Each structure stands twice: as C-alpha cells, then as structure tokens.
Amino acid sequence: MKKSFLALITFTGLALTSTWVSAKTEINVQNIIEKAEMASFYAGDDGRAEALMMIVDAQGRKQMRKFTILRKDIEDQGDQKFMVFFSRPTDVKNTVFRVEKHVALEQDDDRWLYLPALDLVKRISAGDKRTSFVGSHFFYEDVSGRSITEDDFSLVEENDAFYVLDAKPKKPESVEFSHYQIKIDKTTFLPMSINFYKGDKHYRQVETVKVESISGYPTVLRSKVSDLETGGYTLMEFRNVTYNTGVPDEVFTERSLRTPPQQWLQ
Amino acid sequence: MQLKENSRFKIATLVRNIALYSLFTAMVNAQESQQDEWDLDAWDAIAENDSTSNVSPITGFVELAYSHRLQTDPVLDRPQTLADARMQFQWDYALQASQLKTRADIYYDGVKNNTELQIRELAWQGSLSQLSILGELGQHFDAKVGQQVLTWGTGDYLFLNDLFPKDYQSFFSGRDDEYLKAPSFAAKLSGYFDWVNLDFVITPRFTPDNFINGEYYSFFSPVVEANIASEFHVASENRPTSPEYHLRLHKTLGSHELAFYGYKGYSPLPSASDSLGRPKFTDINVYGFSLVTPIGPGIVKFEYAYQNALEDTSGENPYIPNSMSKYLVGYEQEIIANLTGSIQWYTERTQEHGLALANSFWPQFEQEKVRNVVTTQLIYRALRQTLTFNLFNFYSPSDEDGYLRFRSTYSPVDQWSISAGVNVFYGDKKHTFFNQFDDASNGFLSYRYYYTL
C-alpha cells in the first residue's frame, strides 16, 4: 500500500474525535503516520479548493499559479481522483490536469493534460515524483503524497503538543534526501513542519503556516516550502475549501478536460 | 559649556531616538512584510473576484518573432522565413452552464508584408442539459459551435486520423506549436455514455491545411525537376465547399484508451491535380483506430488509418494519389528526472503502387511504396521548469531525409518568455518530402510578453 502523509496541497484534516485524544498513550509510530496521512489527504469523501501559489526564486522574482482542485476518494487511504483547473498565469489559463492516483506500489498514477490552445488531451507518462510541481518549489510528491511504505519511521521526540518522527528512505538511491523529520500536531495529526536533510545538512523545509477547521476537518490553509540551498520558496494558500460536495464520478473524466464542469468549480 | 553639554546630550538623545525609531519601524516593517507576503491579493491585483465573476479579464500576449534562413534559397530572395509582430487576445464569458470563448490574433507578417487577423476561437461551448426537448438525454451531450481549433489522435506531430486543419507554414518557420493547428468553423457534438463516448464534428465548409505554396518556402516541382516558388492558390473549382464530417468513438477501459475514427471529406493538402495539371483537393474517406496504454514506466500508443481515395479506387489515375494505409507505433517515458524521451515509428503504405508508377508522369519522383518515418524527441526541463529544451527529429529511412526541430524557451517570470531554436531540413534527393525544404532551414528567436487587462 502506498500511503501518503504530507499535509500540503490536498484538503487536509480529519474530524477531531475524543477517541484520538484518549488513545494517545497507546499510539505507536505506524498509527501516527497513518493518522497523519488520513488527516492530510483523505478529509471527507471529496473536496474542492482554490489554490493560490506564489513562487519566489533566489533573485526575488515572483511567479503565480492559481488553480481549482476537485478531489474524490474511491476509498479512505486508497485510490483517488483529481482534477486541477488552472486559471493563472495567462499562458496556462484553461489548462487542465487530470490524475487517477493509484496506491498500489506497482501501479503508476494515470495522468492527462489538456492543452486548450491545441484542443489536445495528452496522456503523460509517469515521472520522477521529486521534481517541481507546476514550476513551484513543491514537488509532485508533496502534492500527490509520498507513500509511507517508502520510508522507515522512528519517534525522536514527543511532548504535549507534537510528535517528531524521523524518516529514512528504504531506497536512498531513489531520492535526493538522506532523511527527514516530520513534526505532527497531536490534536489534528497534521504535519506542522517537515525538514529534509542531506547528511547533517538541512536543505529543504515545508511549514504549515495556518490551519482552520472547515466543516469539522482541520485544514491547512497556508503552507510554505523553502529551498534552503538557493533561498527560493513557494507560498501556497487554499481558499473556499469545501468537503463532501457530492461531486459525481463523471466529473473526473475526459469530458471535464474539454468542457469544465462549471457547477463544481464555483 | 553647560549649553554645549546640554546640546550634546540632546543630540545624543535625538540620535538614540532616531536609532530606536528606525529599529522600531524596521521591526514593524519586517512584521508587516511577513504579513504582506501572505496578502497574495495585494500582490496579484486581479485575483480578487475573478473566481466569482462571469466575465474573465482579457488576457493574451504580444510577441515579436523572427527567423532567418541558414542558407540562401536560389528561387526566393527573402532571407527571413518569419517576421511577426503579433498580439493575441483571449476572453471568456461564463453563462449558467456554458461559456463563450474568444481567442484572436492580430499580427503584422513581415514576410508577406501585410497585417492579418486570425480568429482562433469564437465559440459557444456547453452542455445540452438545458435543452428541454432532449429531456434526460441532454445531460449526456456537450456541444461546441463556432470557430475553433480541434485535435484528436495519438501521434506527436504526426496525424493519421486527425483531419482537422494544420498550418505547416507556421510549423516550419519557428512559430509556437500552438500555430501548427489552424482553426476551422465547425460544430462539435460530444456524447458521453457508460458504454461509449462519441465526438461528431461537422465542418460546414471544407477547410484545408495552410500548405506550402511558395509564399514562404519553395517546393519541389516534378515538371521542372527543381524547386520553384511560384506562389499558387487552388482554383475555386478545385476547392470543395461541401461539408466535412469527423467522427470519433472512444472509451477508457481501466488505464487503456481505445478510439475508433471516421472521416468523410477531402484531402487536406491539394495533392491531386485536374486535367490541366492544376492542384486540386480530392475526395477521401478515412477510417481508423488507436490504442494508448501504459507499459512499464512509459506510455505506448498505436494508431492505424486507412485513407480511401474515392476518385481513384483502382489506383490508375495519375492525377489522384492512391489510397493509403498508415501505421504509427510510439513509446514515451521519463528517462531521468526532468528528461522525457519518446520515439515513434510511422509507415505509409501506398495501395496499388505498381499501377501508380506505371501511370505516373514522373515515376522517378513518386513516393516509395512504403515510406517510413522515425521520430525521436527529448524534452528537458531545468531551473524549476523555467528553462525548457525540446529536440524533435523526423528521419525517413526510406527517403533518406529528415527534419530536426530544436526549441529552447526561458521564462523565469509570468510576464515574459524568450525562445530560440532551429528548423533544419536534410537529405540527399531534391524531391523527397522533407529535403525539398532544405533551403528553408532556419534559426528563430521570439519574445513574448503576457498581459492581463
């Protein structure tokens, strides 16, 4: 099972329940990371949000990305469907990205891109997931979720508010980091920071900046990723987040690439 | 002295106060800028409201593009193959369950020395669920009616079942890929059902490709056995005005995409001729299918098309190109992070090739019975995708000629991009498909500035 945990781009959070709080004494590392994955990527049965990204490069030059995301879970901690409708910048306006995320490790995600200027639906081959997502400092894997089965986790610290886990990749040759540390909020199970290291060198950081409860789901509304080597960073903000909209399966098809489903986008 | 000390004290106090004030304002500013950084609307003045408004802003770009031949063309004295000053406008208007879409280019074409307007999109697009006469059925249909760009099929720069108009003059000269597809006035009806999806397109008036006609490039003439650049236009009686019909049935089964295609219309290039030897579009039907599926780390595609020459079913008529079978096999995968490679094998097999040769006026210049083209592509994205290199090569082992395209684009900000590259045609024989354009090989440079009104 490929399980993802980074609380970055998807609609995050799980309902706060007393069960979680009372269970904390018996919680183990596997439980923590699975709950973090649920909180980060599987809030509700579906979700919709508008995302605004500001990408700032090492020279201070800024770029913007603006898009609306629709998500539908096939099952919790299982396969998911995504549609991403871009409205900014100008050169990608009306471009649509469609993903069918598969959690089975042996199956790659299915991905399509619609290029409106050519009226072209292009199937995209599977790519390295630790490369830039839409030109930002976020990686595709930050967005789609990194499988929790790809790393070995250990608890390095626990206090009243947080768990701090250390993660080491099972296949170090497949990633650019040697390990990372993830700080998980004990009440929401949302990752509040993730620090990536090459040996002792701390070179990449993802921070949760603002969390709000939406329809009972703690949701990351603002996050920031920093490339500590170059000084560049990306800010991301979610707006108008809604859960359990009832969006039907038919919306997650080629039809919506060419004819955006207005009623689910507004 | 007293006074002096007093004033010194005052000055010291003043300096300290200024220092404290500076420090304080610096701290406040730092705090504000920390907050301001998240005030994305202030930075992006038009972000506010644009998701709730029906009217989208007018967006687009202005572009300067120039390309220069890498050699001279003895029959065309112009050294440039492209000299555009262009402005594109894009504007959408959202209705209840549909949209009006507009995209238009106005440009000065320095090669032809005139100003052109191209409406690339002026169309209504939406669901037919509002049409009460259709009842429940309406929910299954979308339509797009008006001027529009249309594409389907699986090939990269190779089109088997896609008979929608292309613009090869733009493609060869270094214009953006967008301009390879030319717009047409058409009505597209799309139906979506559990068992199959369909697209049916009617182009009420046949719209051919924008073909090489001697305006920008010279081309091989078998009559004089050399390249000529006598600009030609197809006589109106050889240019059909009847409708074209395009059909696609498609279905996704798991990760596999299967499609069937049909076309009734005319050859998109004036590859036939009338009894006077003048170029002419000829009646054709095209049938085919395609399959796209992931295999291993990549995507495999297969496409087949049979082009039926309706005006020369026996294959004897030297004025009409014979029927043809077309095959395409392709594979694409990411080779290493940020580097994607693809390869395609394309074959055209002419039916009744022996009869075609026997009846040809210029058998030595006729296409081989089997013409093969191999394409390879490498795309590399660097610097967080702000720098892109795209290398695409067509090579025909049967014609021993080819065409190499290279384009690099740099866009470190949203407001502008700069592109440079080359189009190189190569080969041994003067008459083969790509090599006839070898004097049109060019290097190009373009600058685009994106705007929002």
Side-chain angles (χ1 to χ4, degrees):
Chain A
M1 287 287 284
K2 193 196 289 184
K3 290 177 182 168
S4 45
F5 64 88
L6 299 181
L8 299 175
I9 196 168
T10 40
F11 329 108
T12 54
L14 248 189
L16 280 169
T17 61
S18 56
T19 351
W20 285 17
V21 179
S22 64
K24 74 178 182 183
T25 48
E26 291 169 23
I27 210 153
N28 64 33
V29 171
Q30 186 62 25
N31 270 331
I32 297 168
I33 204 68
E34 284 185 16
K35 285 187 174 175
E37 180 193 42
M38 276 299 291
S40 302
F41 289 105
Y42 290 92
D45 296 328
D46 63 56
R48 171 199 169 281
E50 288 163 34
L52 208 53
M53 264 188 189
M54 186 167 81
I55 305 161
V56 183
D57 74 6
Q59 285 84 49
R61 291 180 295 202
K62 292 175 177 172
Q63 288 178 277
M64 165 164 277
R65 301 288 180 270
K66 189 168 188 223
F67 46 91
T68 300
I69 300 185
L70 299 179
R71 168 190 54 112
K72 184 164 179 153
D73 300 345
I74 294 168
E75 59 176 337
D76 275 350
Q77 296 186 281
D79 288 0
Q80 292 176 304
K81 298 175 176 187
F82 293 95
M83 300 289 297
V84 183
F85 300 86
F86 288 89
S87 51
R88 302 285 302 276
T90 300
D91 63 333
V92 299
K93 186 179 173 185
N94 298 335
T95 298
V96 187
F97 187 41
R98 176 181 163 215
V99 178
E100 292 207 350
K101 178 183 155 184
H102 302 295
V103 294
L105 269 181
E106 64 276 10
Q107 189 178 10
D108 284 310
D109 296 351
D110 290 310
R111 307 192 291 173
W112 294 262
L113 195 63
Y114 176 67
L115 302 170
L118 290 162
D119 182 47
L120 175 67
V121 175
K122 186 161 173 51
R123 183 80 172 258
I124 305 172
S125 55
D128 187 319
K129 292 184 174 176
R130 298 197 66 76
T131 56
S132 168
F133 176 69
V134 298
S136 75
H137 296 85
F138 287 99
F139 290 157
Y140 180 82
E141 191 168 71
D142 298 330
V143 175
S144 64
R146 177 173 170 79
S147 162
I148 61 174
T149 58
E150 291 194 53
D151 303 312
D152 289 319
F153 295 91
S154 56
L155 186 67
V156 291
E157 193 185 332
E158 180 180 355
N159 59 30
D160 289 345
F162 301 106
Y163 300 106
V164 180
L165 305 185
D166 185 76
K168 286 196 172 56
K170 290 175 184 168
K171 289 184 188 166
E173 70 284 358
S174 68
V175 291
E176 85 290 356
F177 59 82
S178 60
H179 69 114
Y180 60 91
Q181 290 206 339
I182 174 168
K183 187 163 109 178
I184 296 168
D185 186 296
K186 276 190 165 177
T187 47
T188 63
F189 279 87
L190 290 176
M192 300 309 286
S193 71
I194 308 167
N195 292 299
F196 292 86
Y197 297 85
K198 289 175 182 167
D200 292 335
K201 190 180 171 197
H202 180 205
Y203 74 96
R204 184 170 191 263
Q205 173 177 292
V206 183
E207 299 161 276
T208 295
V209 178
K210 184 179 178 186
V211 175
E212 271 182 23
S213 178
I214 290 168
S215 308
Y217 301 104
T219 301
V220 175
L221 293 185
R222 285 177 175 176
S223 55
K224 177 178 182 177
V225 58
S226 306
D227 179 339
L228 304 175
E229 287 177 315
T230 67
Y233 62 93
T234 296
L235 305 178
M236 180 156 60
E237 178 168 83
F238 285 115
R239 298 171 174 188
N240 301 322
V241 179
T242 50
Y243 294 110
N244 298 322
T245 61
V247 59
D249 284 333
E250 296 81 70
V251 165
F252 298 86
T253 60
E254 181 175 334
R255 182 179 194 174
S256 297
L257 294 176
R258 295 176 189 266
T259 311
Q262 298 297 336
Q263 71 174 114
W264 300 104
L265 296 179
Q266 286 168 10
Chain B
M1 189 66 186
Q2 187 72 31
L3 185 74
K4 255 191 178 172
E5 274 191 3
N6 208 0
S7 57
R8 197 179 297 151
F9 173 74
K10 278 182 181 164
I11 289 164
T13 311
L14 187 64
V15 169
R16 193 192 63 201
N17 285 349
I18 288 171
L20 277 176
Y21 178 74
S22 310
L23 185 65
F24 175 72
T25 48
M27 284 169 67
V28 169
N29 286 342
Q31 211 166 19
E32 276 178 357
S33 78
Q34 192 67 30
Q35 287 177 345
D36 278 349
E37 185 173 65
W38 280 101
D39 188 0
L40 301 180
D41 290 333
W43 175 68
D44 174 42
I46 64 152
E48 191 84 338
N49 295 328
D50 74 354
S51 62
T52 50
S53 168
N54 287 341
V55 187
S56 75
I58 296 173
T59 58
F61 58 81
V62 288
E63 182 181 70
L64 292 172
Y66 182 80
S67 83
H68 201 93
R69 286 179 206 274
L70 300 174
Q71 63 293 301
T72 53
D73 185 335
V75 294
L76 262 179
D77 55 4
R78 283 187 298 260
Q80 71 274 31
T81 57
L82 176 69
D84 282 352
R86 175 184 298 266
M87 185 164 195
Q88 185 180 83
F89 304 85
Q90 191 185 344
W91 180 76
D92 299 337
Y93 184 84
L95 301 162
Q96 182 82 28
S98 63
Q99 273 189 305
L100 294 175
K101 306 186 84 170
T102 314
R103 187 195 292 260
D105 282 34
I106 184 161
Y107 63 103
Y108 170 73
D109 181 337
V111 175
K112 289 196 283 185
N113 191 24
N114 54 18
T115 302
E116 311 257 351
L117 172 70
Q118 187 183 47
I119 309 287
R120 294 190 64 79
E121 191 170 39
L122 180 58
W124 173 89
Q125 178 186 42
S127 163
L128 300 189
S129 56
Q130 307 294 315
L131 287 184
S132 50
I133 53 161
L134 290 176
E136 284 286 297
L137 197 60
Q139 291 174 3
H140 294 282
F141 288 99
D142 291 339
K144 187 170 180 181
V145 180
Q147 186 84 350
Q148 56 188 306
V149 169
L150 291 154
T151 302
W152 63 40
T154 65
D156 291 331
Y157 299 149
L158 290 172
F159 303 96
L160 286 75
N161 288 292
D162 177 341
L163 279 294
F164 302 112
K166 328 258 177 338
D167 181 348
Y168 289 105
Q169 288 193 349
S170 290
F171 187 61
F172 289 165
S173 66
R175 282 193 183 123
D176 191 88
D177 276 3
E178 169 179 1
Y179 298 102
L180 169 59
K181 297 295 290 196
S184 53
F185 184 83
K188 178 164 96 166
L189 179 71
S190 301
Y192 300 92
F193 301 92
D194 289 341
W195 50 282
V196 75
N197 303 312
L198 69 92
D199 290 303
F200 181 57
V201 179
I202 299 179
T203 311
R205 189 187 171 96
F206 167 62
T207 309
D209 290 351
N210 188 18
F211 46 86
I212 304 301
N213 68 347
E215 276 178 297
Y216 295 78
Y217 303 114
S218 62
F219 56 90
F220 182 79
S221 163
V223 182
V224 296
E225 303 192 7
N227 263 37
I228 59 169
S230 50
E231 195 176 315
F232 74 90
H233 294 277
V234 178
S236 58
E237 60 269 33
N238 287 344
R239 196 182 173 105
T241 54
S242 304
E244 298 170 79
Y245 304 95
H246 310 252
L247 177 70
R248 178 175 70 137
L249 302 174
H250 60 111
K251 172 89 181 158
T252 302
L253 297 161
S255 294
H256 319 293
E257 294 166 53
L258 186 62
F260 294 91
Y261 308 85
Y263 172 76
K264 178 174 169 44
Y266 307 93
S267 59
L269 297 171
S271 44
S273 49
D274 63 13
S275 54
L276 303 172
R278 299 178 306 169
K280 176 187 161 190
F281 299 98
T282 175
D283 295 7
I284 58 167
N285 286 346
V286 181
Y287 320 93
F289 68 92
S290 69
L291 177 68
V292 179
T293 186
I295 290 188
I299 301 282
V300 170
K301 56 199 175 187
F302 178 74
E303 188 168 341
Y304 169 77
Y306 181 73
Q307 180 172 312
N308 193 2
L310 297 177
E311 294 183 51
D312 181 23
T313 46
S314 66
E316 294 170 338
N317 186 338
Y319 296 104
I320 309 288
N322 285 10
S323 297
M324 221 178 239
S325 297
K326 300 177 177 183
Y327 309 84
L328 174 89
V329 183
Y331 179 72
E332 176 191 305
Q333 81 162 78
E334 188 176 78
I335 300 165
I336 53 168
N338 296 308
L339 177 68
T340 302
S342 72
I343 184 161
Q344 299 180 113
W345 179 279
Y346 170 71
T347 293
E348 282 176 352
R349 177 184 289 269
T350 302
Q351 308 293 312
E352 308 300 340
H353 190 257
L355 283 176
L357 282 188
N359 291 287
S360 174
F361 302 120
W362 308 287
Q364 71 275 34
F365 300 132
E366 287 292 337
Q367 182 173 318
E368 302 283 329
K369 176 175 180 161
V370 176
R371 175 172 173 256
N372 296 313
V373 176
V374 182
T375 77
T376 43
Q377 183 174 32
L378 288 173
I379 298 175
Y380 184 64
R381 295 183 182 85
L383 306 176
R384 267 186 308 100
Q385 304 168 4
T386 56
L387 179 62
T388 306
F389 299 102
N390 189 340
L391 181 74
F392 196 99
N393 185 53
F394 297 85
Y395 175 71
S396 171
S398 48
D399 286 356
E400 297 177 316
D401 71 346
Y403 167 34
L404 180 133
R405 293 166 60 80
F406 174 73
R407 173 184 286 265
S408 56
T409 301
Y410 181 54
S411 180
V413 292
D414 294 334
Q415 287 74 33
W416 57 264
S417 70
I418 188 163
S419 295
V422 291
N423 290 288
V424 178
F425 301 89
Y426 57 91
D428 290 332
K429 304 183 195 102
K430 276 310 291 178
H431 71 279
T432 54
F433 183 80
F434 292 119
N435 193 48
Q436 64 179 312
F437 304 121
D438 70 339
D439 288 334
S441 293
N442 60 76
F444 62 88
L445 184 66
S446 68
Y447 174 82
R448 243 182 213 203
Y449 181 84
Y450 294 95
Y451 68 85
T452 302
L453 298 179

